[in-house]
Amino acid sequence: MHTALSTIAAVGPYGHGSPPFFLFPAFFVLVLLAAAVVFGALRRGSWRARSDARAVLADRFARGDIDADEYRSRLAELSRK
């Protein structure tokens, strides 16, 4: 029993000293993919919020709630953000 434990400790559970070589690149690819998904979701969310704000502003202008000067002023403010 002592021999089996010392063999596992020396060469690892896979029999050749380290985990399979494909685990390291696969882990790296998964981390990059997760970062891309998070970054994409954050970018898309802020773009969508600006787009929605512009749509609301255009609707208010079309209904006559705000005049052309106020519309242009608010649209310019949205474009700066």
Side-chain angles (χ1 to χ4, degrees):
M1 174 102 169
H2 178 66
T3 307
L5 290 178
S6 62
T7 303
I8 289 175
V11 298
Y14 300 106
H16 44 80
S18 64
F21 71 94
F22 64 87
L23 287 181
F24 294 112
F27 178 73
F28 185 69
V29 167
L30 287 175
V31 167
L32 286 178
L33 183 63
V37 167
V38 168
F39 181 73
L42 291 175
R43 291 279 298 162
R44 189 173 353 138
S46 64
W47 175 80
R48 185 175 294 151
R50 283 192 304 253
S51 178
D52 290 346
R54 287 185 178 125
V56 169
L57 187 61
D59 287 343
R60 289 187 63 200
F61 179 64
R63 285 194 310 259
D65 293 344
I66 57 176
D67 62 354
D69 291 333
E70 187 174 358
Y71 173 76
R72 275 183 253 151
S73 170
R74 290 183 183 213
L75 189 59
E77 184 67 29
L78 284 174
S79 297
R80 277 186 255 162
K81 294 183 179 182

